Amino acid sequence: MKYIIKIACIAFGLTLMSCGDSFLDKVNPTQLTAGTYYQNQAQVQSAVNGIYSQLQDLTSIQWINTEYISDNTSLHFNVGDRGQGPSLEAIEYFQINSGTSNITNWYNQLYRGLTNINIVLSKLEGATMDNALKLDFEGQCKFMRAYYYFQLVQCFGDVIIVKEPIGTPAEAYNFKRSPVADVYTLIESDLKTAITSLPDRASIAVNQKGRISKGAALALLGKVYLTKKQYAEAVTTLKQISGYSLMPKYADVFDPQQKNNVESVFEVQYQANTDIGEWSGFIYNFYPRESYGAVIKFTNANGGGWNIPTRDIIAAYEAGDLRKAVSLAEGYNNNSGVWTPIPFITKFYHAHTVVNRPGDNWPILRYADVLLMLAEASNEATGPADGYAYVNPIRVRAGLAPLAGLDKASFRTAVLKERRIELAFENHRWYDLKRTMSPTELATFLNAHGAFEKSNPTTNRGGIPFSAGDYVFEAYEALFPIPASEILVNKDLTQNPGYK
Amino acid sequence: MKKNDPMQSHRRCPMLQKMVTIMKLTTVLLFLTLFQVSAKSYSQETRLNLKFDKETLENVFSKIEANSEFSIFYKNDLIKNSREVSGEFKDVLVSNILDQVLKSENLSYTIKDKLIMIVPTEYIAIENTTQQQGKKISGKVTDTSGAALPGVSVVIQGTTAGVITDNDGKYSISNVSENAILRFSFVGMKMQEVAVKGNSNIEVILQEETIGIDEVVAIGYGTKRKRDITSAVSVVNIGDIPEMPISNASRLLQGQAPGVVVRQRTGTPGEQMNVTIRGVGSLGAGSDPLYVIDGFAVGNSIGQNLNPSDIQSITILKDAASTAIYGARGSNGVVLITTKNAKEGELSITATANFGIQNLPTSRRVKMMNGVEFATFLQESWIDKQRYFNKKEPTIDEIPLGIRYPEQTQYSTNWLDEILQQNSGFQDYNVTIASGKGKLKSLVSAGYLNQEGAVKYTGFQRFNVRANVTGDFNDYISVGLNTVGSFTSERYAGTNSRDGIIGKALYADPRSPVYNADGTLNAYVGGKDGVFGAANPLMELQQHKRIKEVTNLTTNAFIQITFLKDFKFKSSFNASIDSWRRNEFRPSTLAGGGFNSPPPQNATLAEYYDQFINIAADQLLSYNKTIGSHKIEGQLGYSAQQSRSRNITGTGNKFPNNDIQFLQQAETKAPTSSESAWSMLAYFARLNYDYKNKYLLSATYRREGSSRFGKNNLWGDFPSVSAGWRLTEESFMKGISWVNDLKLRGSFGVTGNNSIGEYNNAATLAAAGYLYNDTFSPGVVLNSFVNNNIGWEQSNQVDIGLDLSAFDSKLTFTAEYYKKITNDMLLSVSVPVITGFTSTLTNVGKVQNTGFEFAVGYKTKITNDLSFNSNFNISFNRNKVLEIDGKNKELWTGSFYGVQNRSVIGRPIGMITGFKVIGILQTDAEVASSPKQDGAIPGVYKYFDGDGDGKISYDTKDMVEIGNPYPAFNWGLTLGADYKRFDINLLFMGAQNYDIMRDIEKTVMNMDGVFNILQSGVNRFRSAEQPGDGRGATSNTWKWERESNSRYVYDASHMWIKTLTIGYNLPANSKILKSSRFYFNVDNLLLVTNYPGTNPEINTSGDNRQPGRDDEAYPIPRTFSVGAIIKF
């Protein structure tokens, strides 16, 4: 019997040399393993960079849910390909339901961003690095978290609050939606931390240019207060912002040659003409379909035509407004030289040398917005007297006469309109409408807009009529539905009223 | 020679049967004519001590074998009525014992070395007494391959007089009367009787007897006699499958075994077919079986490199008891493939050739509108819009010029016909040299196959060489080495799905010409009158070059050591190296691959290089012992396997010209590279116990670790047990003579599934950089939501079966019932996105497959010249989701505009789901009075209000189950007949009562006028007065027409006459040419179905959860071929 064992051992040993669990330990060599990351400054910095990077992903779809749905933009109706029907068209035509994929994508992208934010926040404590640095990273992450929750709470109302990374699938099913007030509590608390932890823009190193500063946190907190109609707090907070001023020319604000300029409070960074994945694709979604290079000078380059200015906003520009030609074009000459009256956004179109690789940054907060918020908040708090000083520099830059002699209500209307034009296509309009109108007022307003679009479609519809339900906005649609896919996996989630 | 199983197996058979080691027995029989020259040997030196106490002869023989190295052969019925014997023998020769125990029986014996043959006494007697009366007949006996058969018994019918053929297969028998009949019989061959009729020279070819119950078949890590098998195992008898023009070995399985569904999803040359054994058991992980070639578990695919003509036999393991020995890879069944070896004593060269032509029959081509019909459609749809929306009748001058005069349409192109090749060729050549002489047997083969595609500019080529050497190095050590190298080259096109070339050809504008006036290809098709512009499909096939080349080198080697009499140790090593190269160049002269992008476009190039290295080592210790009526076999094994793949891909865009097709020419280029690996370790054991051949018991156990699982669940345990009861061994069955063999068996086992891909057990970070000060800074984000507890998917399977062989084994019958429950499925389930991800791989859910399988075989000889054989199998599988997850009651896959599949508890996986069409809305009044469908107008489909809320919402809420993609049953039938030297064989197969959604029709019945339309579209709805055939919707809108709905669901029940082969065997006519065979074959002969697509076995989705989709694929051609097999 010993003999048998001996032979078996020799033979087995041949393969047992590589044996044991270590033989079964296979790690993906092409990617970093998350479990052992976030240990030191370099690793945490790269994870924070990842958080910024996800803001690019978020911004690339933000226009669908905040601009496109408003009265600012519409779509270049595609007779031949209605494949976008249930998603993009649903939003433009107010045919949203809990399955509308662009709403789901928006919701998902927001929580995706939050996941990375929460991971970094939870790992900061254990990472080996300077405490001041930790504080700085915490400030940046908490600004981001506040920004994400602010988007969520405005779009969806009550939402799930998740502040820690979720470890197993089982845990994820135990969350319920928190009331709006609780979400704002978190947002304010995060922003207050950010304000105390973050450096002023002036003290940020050149090689960090474009990152979040204290000014950005103040501006965002001001916006939160404004949204919550805490006007006095809004004024106090926004007034603390210093070191920013308006660019002399409106066009310079969006010029890729002058990124992160003195007016920029916070913008999403992009880079043109390279293959490192940092280009911004906005204009390729916005400019007209089937323009075949007539608009963007690359042979056969076609746009999506999804986010085009409405006749309504084109008409809203006052005569002589210098911002109009910067922001939009009312049509273009096609390759045969024939005028084609399809309007498109030009604000985010700047020359680039490689097709599909523009580099326009996307403004999230800029000083003009701060000034307009101050004008709005101070008017609501104390009347229009203080507001002129904030709004008029913007009008003057646009080549328009300054405002004067308005009562509180007229000033309110004037500032809202000024915001629409000054911040056109920068994804503020939907939130501005929701902030300044009750859901019923919003419904009345948007139904009027819809009726106008139905009778004067911005683009030709090729003989295809609107459905009866198109452009019918009901008050409950002021909040988006919680995606059906989320309710399917978590039966504890409630749906917003009005949606099935 | 050591006695072994196949040898012993011969003792108790009711009649002489086929054994795997026919040739070994040949040697035994051979000595009958030569025994007088045998030298002093084992039998004359070995002395035995034995004691018998009232024992049957059977037991006596067993004891002699158990106490010596002798093997004893006899026909069972010779000793059936023998008396019991007693006696004690001390230190005596075996001949002394035999003389003693056989003396009262009419039996004698012959001995050569360690082999003993028991024969009737008079048989020996006649051999020795030569009476010169009557005629002398001589001749030669060969097998169908022409090889001489030594040892064949030639007996004059009605007498016991006979002789045995010599080493060259020759015989000479005297004293034969003019009207006598000679009977030729040989183990494993069909007995033949030939009337003398005055001939003095009679040459005979004996046919092999197929599927005997004594056949030895491959099982996991070993072999077993078919009749001893207690689990569900199907054997595909390669000898029963006629020659066919096939390019992939998976085709050999089609229609052959119950419970094994082999679907040819497309007609792409060389493509492997989709094999499902006993239903889809998993929602998340793969459902392909494990393929084991010559003991090497190569994975869930056999790929394209295995030459079908190298295959000797295929065994399919179906139940858990047979597959548990493969542990984590066994739950979808195991296909064991054994390649050819030289037969003992054989020395031959075999050459085969097969030429064919392939065509897609006109009846299987989809009919689209011609130029005039489509132009008319465009005009009518324009007019219909005016009538409905503007309430006016347009004058001819108002109609846009492009569609004003449809009858004047200049061109009418049938794009499908244009891209199909007429008479594309099929060629297959093989040469095999086998040498079975001497201790080491060797076989070398080379093959070349060239299959042109039924679609132009596609095709497949393969070169193979194989060499193997096996044999006994000495009495204790045997070795084997098998090396195969192959190279395949495939020219392919994106042919599947609506965006593939077939779809494109269907919906291309028929009013566009193929060629310009100057004879060049028209580069841009459509693009006017609202029709989408696209590349010319023929030009795309010609100029978008896509090539895949695979080089494979596989080696198996083993060494087996026999020691301590009953032990064997086998160590084997397998390695396979695959190199893939793919190259795709799309020149600037082609229009874009999508729509409305006329040429020139930027040229693009993609180059992929992949390398796969798969290494496995197995150590196997076996023990074999027979103690009286108890037979014990044990095995202990250890297996380690590792596989690694590496890839490098380069893509380039925008080339200065189309002539130099290399990446450095490209203006923009991007390289990527990757690597992945997996490994597994397993320990396993098997115990077989057999009592009197009556009660059979088998148990296996495997413990396996896989790199694919989380630390907490690295190892899995897979036990199984099976038992069999051979009723025919019981005394109460002795009287029932028509039953040759009857066995009841049952099994239970646990198997696993680890087909979840690599690295799903650890979260990784993906690159996601950002910019500061316009300078790139690298960053990372989480890449997946990882479940650290991810563990094994386990299937518990019960199988109950019955095997019957009756009427002289003319009839064989197998029936089985099984129930398989898969637990803890590795399923990508939806998780709340607050985790950061919408899905993760989790162990959830339960799926059940239950089924019945029946197989019947019948073969009979009708006259001397005519025999008939047939095999029929049918299987019924029922699939049911038992559990998905506490929170996930249903799983949706697919898309609103495509096919929705839904898995819901209590129903099968992935039922086709969508709106149920209950008619076409005829009038505005009907639109108004029906449940509200926002945007509906007369002529759109009227949908069933699934949730009963009085409105049809434009989402999935009103969707209901509209189709079941699983056949009620699948069946296969083989009919064969031999008449003299001719034979004919027909294979039928089919599936009944299941549905497919013909997704492509949402494109080719797209009434927007942007694509060409099915010819049946002329009968669409135009108005309440012209309602059409009730199938085609109005062209006035797009909404409520192409969502996932029941309009596009069809019954796909079908029957194929898959293959017809007629063969002719020439008589062996010279010393050089041993045999030659010629045949004619029609493959994919006839399809009988109401399904409107070209292939009712199609599934354009590769996902288990998305069955029953037809988005159009490469059509399956009919092939006519002729071939020859010539053996020297």
Side-chain angles (χ1 to χ4, degrees), chain B residues 26 83 146 308 422 473 851-852 914 1083:
Chain B
T26 306
R83 291 180 300 107
Q422 294 303 308
F473 185 72
F852 288 97
D1083 198 36

Side-chain angles (χ1 to χ4, degrees), chain A residues 146-388:
Chain A
Y147 180 76
Y148 277 78
Y149 274 114
F150 190 38
Q151 301 292 312
L152 275 169
V153 76
Q154 289 178 94
C155 290
F156 298 95
D158 297 351
V159 289
I160 291 172
I161 292 178
V162 49
K163 292 190 285 189
E164 299 287 333
I166 294 171
T168 64
E171 286 173 49
Y173 298 109
N174 300 331
F175 286 80
K176 290 184 176 152
R177 295 170 72 187
S178 296
V180 169
D182 293 357
V183 183
Y184 275 116
T185 306
L186 175 66
I187 292 170
E188 286 166 38
S189 143
D190 275 353
L191 285 173
K192 281 171 186 166
T193 309
I195 288 164
T196 56
S197 325
L198 288 170
D200 283 331
R201 188 170 73 161
S203 56
I204 288 172
V206 175
N207 66 5
Q208 287 276 293
K209 200 171 170 186
R211 55 155 283 187
I212 297 157
S213 66
K214 183 176 186 167
L218 285 165
L220 187 58
L221 183 59
K223 187 165 277 194
V224 169
Y225 285 138
L226 184 67
T227 306
K228 292 176 69 192
K229 304 194 193 304
Q230 290 169 249
Y231 299 115
E233 288 96 328
V235 172
T236 321
T237 307
L238 292 167
K239 273 186 171 173
Q240 292 172 46
I241 298 170
S242 65
Y244 301 87
S245 63
L246 292 181
M247 290 292 281
K249 282 163 65 186
Y250 186 70
D252 294 348
V253 178
F254 313 101
D255 182 2
Q257 301 304 314
Q258 306 190 50
K259 289 175 176 173
N260 306 308
N261 53 53
V262 70
E263 187 173 333
S264 165
V265 177
F266 182 49
E267 60 193 48
V268 185
Q269 311 290 313
Y270 292 98
Q271 194 177 55
N273 306 327
T274 67
D275 276 327
I276 53 174
E278 300 297 322
W279 61 87
S280 60
F282 304 107
I283 196 61
Y284 286 86
N285 268 312
F286 298 171
Y287 81 82
R289 279 190 310 107
E290 290 161 22
S291 46
Y292 300 114
V295 175
I296 294 209
K297 305 298 177 192
F298 293 105
T299 317
N300 285 327
N302 267 320
W306 294 117
N307 193 32
I308 62 170
T310 56
R311 293 183 182 212
D312 188 59
I313 194 173
I314 295 170
Y317 282 86
E318 293 170 48
D321 192 331
L322 298 172
R323 293 171 296 192
K324 186 174 183 179
V326 174
S327 300
L328 59 88
E330 294 185 55
Y332 63 97
N333 287 317
N334 71 12
N335 286 331
S336 317
V338 178
W339 176 253
T340 310
I342 296 170
F344 59 96
I345 295 168
T346 52
K347 207 177 208 178
F348 305 106
Y349 171 38
H350 291 89
H352 48 282
T353 54
V354 179
V355 66
N356 290 320
R357 303 281 188 273
D360 302 73
N361 276 5
W362 189 274
I364 288 201
L365 292 162
R366 60 186 174 95
Y367 196 57
D369 184 13
V370 172
L371 292 176
L372 288 166
M373 285 195 286
L374 270 168
E376 184 179 335
S378 62
N379 180 45
E380 299 297 341
T382 59
D386 295 343
Y388 295 112

Side-chain angles (χ1 to χ4, degrees), chain B residues 492-506:
Chain B
Y492 63 100
T495 41
N496 305 337
S497 92
R498 147 194 147 135
D499 299 321
I501 204 77
I502 312 293
K504 284 177 173 179
L506 293 184

Side-chain angles (χ1 to χ4, degrees), chain B residues 264-321:
Chain B
Q264 181 169 13
R265 288 192 295 198
T266 85
T268 309
E271 189 179 67
Q272 186 184 341
M273 297 187 193
N274 177 254
V275 178
T276 310
I277 297 173
R278 291 188 166 178
V280 171
S282 176
L283 282 166
S287 64
D288 294 311
L290 174 70
Y291 293 91
V292 179
I293 303 175
D294 291 329
F296 182 18
V298 293
N300 299 113
S301 160
I302 45 170
Q304 299 180 309
N305 284 49
L306 179 64
N307 184 351
S309 76
D310 279 350
I311 297 175
Q312 174 75 48
S313 69
I314 301 177
T315 309
I316 301 158
L317 313 180
K318 300 190 287 191
D319 67 344

Side-chain angles (χ1 to χ4, degrees), chain B residues 918-930:
Chain B
I918 49 178
I920 285 186
L921 289 165
Q922 296 290 315
T923 59
D924 285 317
E926 192 182 352
V927 172
S929 64
S930 301

Side-chain angles (χ1 to χ4, degrees), chain B residues 114-131:
Chain B
K114 298 169 190 172
L115 305 171
I116 298 169
M117 186 87 184
I118 308 296
V119 290
T121 305
E122 61 271 23
Y123 195 83
I124 301 284
I126 284 188
E127 189 67 21
N128 291 329
T129 55
T130 323
Q131 301 168 10

Side-chain angles (χ1 to χ4, degrees), chain A residues 15 23 49 82 271 500, chain B residues 638 679 772 774 934 949 1038:
Chain A
T15 45
F23 180 71
N49 294 348
R82 301 295 298 278
Q271 194 177 55
K500 279 200 301 177
Chain B
Y638 168 76
S679 54
Y772 300 106
D774 214 21
D934 186 54
D949 66 350
W1038 58 277

